[in-house]
């Protein structure tokens, strides 16, 4: 089992019973971490940014891997949308990590995606 799957499984043992609510809560947590770094950009350490980006990437790795499973019950179109979002998130994360002088605004899209997906999951939970 990959580290991302292990972290997801471990967190899910202490999570709400509804999987959508759990997924929404971890997306909300990731968005909150990124927002705190964005709001305190000048004071934040590079390690905090790297940790938040890693956490977010792990979440989306699990989502993408899960959606890629043939037996996953979601419709094909939704699974493709999840895969496309994950690819975008991985690219944006790489941009931020490799930038010589990253701008805090680069986090905005990651924050917005996580919040919007979480809101939709909470509404369905």
């Amino acid at each position: 089992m990959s580290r991302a799957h292990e972290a997801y499984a471990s967190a899910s043992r202490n999570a709400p019973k509804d999987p959508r609510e759990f997924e929404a809560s971890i997306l909300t947590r990731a968005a909150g971490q990124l927002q705190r770094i964005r709001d305190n950009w000048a004071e934040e350490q590079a390690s905090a940014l790297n940790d938040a980006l890693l956490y977010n990437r792990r979440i989306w790795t699990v989502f993408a891997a899960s959606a890629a499973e043939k037996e996953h019950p979601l419709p094909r179109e939704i699974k493709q949308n999840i895969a496309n979002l994950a690819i975008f998130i991985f690219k944006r994360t790489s941009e931020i990590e490799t930038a010589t002088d990253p701008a805090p605004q680069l986090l905005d899209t990651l924050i917005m995606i996580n919040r919007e997906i979480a809101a939709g999951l909470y509404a369905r939970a």
Side-chain angles (χ1 to χ4, degrees), residues 48-125:
L49 175 61
N50 291 334
D51 289 348
L53 290 172
L54 177 61
Y55 180 74
N56 195 57
R57 184 174 42 243
R58 285 181 176 165
I59 292 167
W60 282 95
T61 298
V62 172
F63 287 167
S66 178
E69 294 174 358
K70 286 184 181 183
E71 59 276 351
H72 196 288
L74 285 175
R76 184 177 184 181
E77 182 178 303
I78 293 175
K79 292 194 303 187
Q80 185 63 49
N81 289 342
I82 292 169
N84 290 339
L85 276 173
I87 290 167
F88 174 83
I89 287 165
F90 299 152
K91 286 181 180 179
R92 175 55 56 97
T93 299
S94 180
E95 277 178 45
I96 296 167
E97 291 174 330
T98 60
T100 54
D101 189 22
Q105 295 83 0
L106 289 174
L107 297 176
D108 291 348
T109 304
L110 298 177
I111 295 165
M112 187 265 315
I113 289 171
N114 284 0
R115 286 184 176 157
E116 293 295 322
I117 298 295
L121 289 167
Y122 277 131
R124 296 174 124 206

